Amino acid sequence: MTARKIVGALSSRDKQRQKPHDDTSSTSPRRSPTEKATADHDAEWAGANPDFSHINEKKVLRKMDLRLIPMLALLYLLSFLDRGNIGNAKIEGLVQDLNMTEPQYNWTLTVFFFTYCLFEVPSNLLLKRFRPSIWLPSIMVAWGTVMTLMGIVKDFKGLLIARLFLGVTEAGLFPGVAFFITMWYARHEAQLRQAMFFSAASVAGAFSGLLAFAISKMDGVGNLEGWRWIFILEGILTVVVAIIAFFTLYDFPDTAGFLTTEERA
């Protein structure tokens, strides 16, 4: 019995010696989930523990709205302006000057939507391959060029082909911007921004007729009819805005220079 007591006492003493060592290993410092997320998110993070409590979410949303929505709305405004100005051109004598019949004119309106619907999905696939700040202005330059060339068509066939290409080049804007907005905003935030963007179509309809009436006063300038100047000037305007968009459009939140590192996170 005495030997068993001695062995038991020695075992108890050994356990007590090992316990502090085990406690030390179990209480070794560990990174919190926030620290891990910060380390994984930004390799250049210079702060200690990130603190998002001071970030005003509404202020960040306003900052994003001011830098994104006005330019996107302007792009869609010009898109709607360019696709619909053929009606104003008809009023200024397009059908008579090109010796077109009413059915032929209706075909020029219809074929636009053939290629527009056909190229929406391929355009969005290319948007994912290229950056939005490159792809969206590029298709704007393309349709602005097509619109300008519509001002020099000579007959029905030329106008029909131009409208086909206009549908190809404009097809990527609306679905592209819809996808672009979802990359910046949460689902409940994107709805309002989509509505603000889409409202540009109504603005275009409000003053497109007045703008076309003013441009048509250039009838005879350069030996060109007034309806030709409607296409030419509005196409040039689109190209100019597209060039500006190359430098003012942002790609995605994690590369936006106007957001701080904490706001991107």
Side-chain angles (χ1 to χ4, degrees):
M1 294 295 293
T2 303
R4 291 181 179 178
K5 290 182 179 180
I6 293 173
V7 172
L10 290 174
S11 299
S12 177
R13 185 179 64 180
D14 292 340
K15 291 180 179 179
Q16 289 177 352
R17 287 179 178 177
Q18 294 175 359
K19 189 174 182 180
H21 180 268
D22 295 337
D23 291 342
T24 303
S25 62
S26 63
T27 57
S28 58
R30 298 179 180 177
R31 291 188 303 172
S32 66
T34 307
E35 290 174 326
K36 290 181 181 178
T38 304
D40 294 339
H41 178 72
D42 190 354
E44 298 180 358
W45 177 262
N49 294 331
D51 181 15
F52 302 107
S53 61
H54 67 283
I55 296 179
N56 188 328
E57 183 178 352
K58 291 184 178 180
K59 183 178 179 180
V60 176
L61 286 175
R62 284 196 300 268
K63 187 188 297 187
M64 291 163 52
D65 291 341
L66 290 174
R67 285 167 173 80
L68 300 176
I69 302 303
M71 177 54 70
L72 296 177
L74 180 59
L75 302 188
Y76 195 56
L77 184 150
L78 292 173
S79 171
F80 233 83
L81 196 67
D82 289 343
R83 78 177 66 171
N85 58 13
I86 189 171
N88 297 318
K90 180 187 179 184
I91 296 174
E92 297 299 328
L94 176 145
V95 173
Q96 292 79 9
D97 291 339
L98 297 183
N99 297 316
M100 293 167 52
T101 63
E102 282 298 323
Q104 288 177 329
Y105 172 76
N106 292 335
W107 269 110
T108 61
L109 300 181
T110 304
V111 295
F112 168 86
F113 295 99
F114 291 166
T115 51
Y116 185 91
C117 297
L118 186 62
F119 283 89
E120 281 186 316
V121 174
S123 180
N124 254 24
L125 294 176
L126 290 173
L127 174 66
K128 297 180 67 175
R129 183 177 179 85
F130 300 99
R131 302 200 314 268
S133 61
I134 298 297
W135 180 247
L136 294 179
S138 296
I139 62 176
M140 275 195 74
V141 171
W143 95 59
T145 303
V146 172
M147 176 56 54
T148 302
L149 294 177
M150 282 177 60
I152 60 174
V153 295
K154 301 298 183 182
D155 52 24
F156 163 68
K157 291 182 180 179
L159 183 61
L160 190 72
I161 294 172
R163 291 284 295 181
L164 281 169
F165 278 101
L166 187 65
V168 173
T169 52
E170 283 197 24
L173 182 67
F174 185 82
V177 172
F179 170 75
F180 178 74
I181 289 177
T182 61
M183 299 300 295
W184 281 83
Y185 297 94
R187 182 180 300 179
H188 66 280
E189 299 166 347
Q191 297 169 0
L192 175 61
R193 278 73 190 181
Q194 293 278 12
M196 294 167 61
F197 159 71
F198 192 74
S199 65
S202 300
V203 177
F207 73 89
S208 62
L210 182 62
L211 179 62
F213 174 76
I215 296 176
S216 66
K217 296 299 181 182
M218 296 180 63
D219 185 33
V221 176
N223 293 323
L224 296 176
E225 295 87 349
W227 62 266
R228 295 185 184 274
W229 281 113
I230 293 175
F231 292 148
I232 293 171
L233 293 184
E234 292 184 1
I236 292 175
L237 175 62
T238 298
V239 173
V240 171
V241 174
I243 294 173
I244 297 174
F246 271 115
F247 303 99
T248 57
L249 271 183
Y250 297 91
D251 291 314
F252 301 106
D254 56 349
T255 59
F258 67 90
L259 295 176
T260 65
T261 306
E262 292 173 330
E263 290 171 343
R264 295 174 193 171

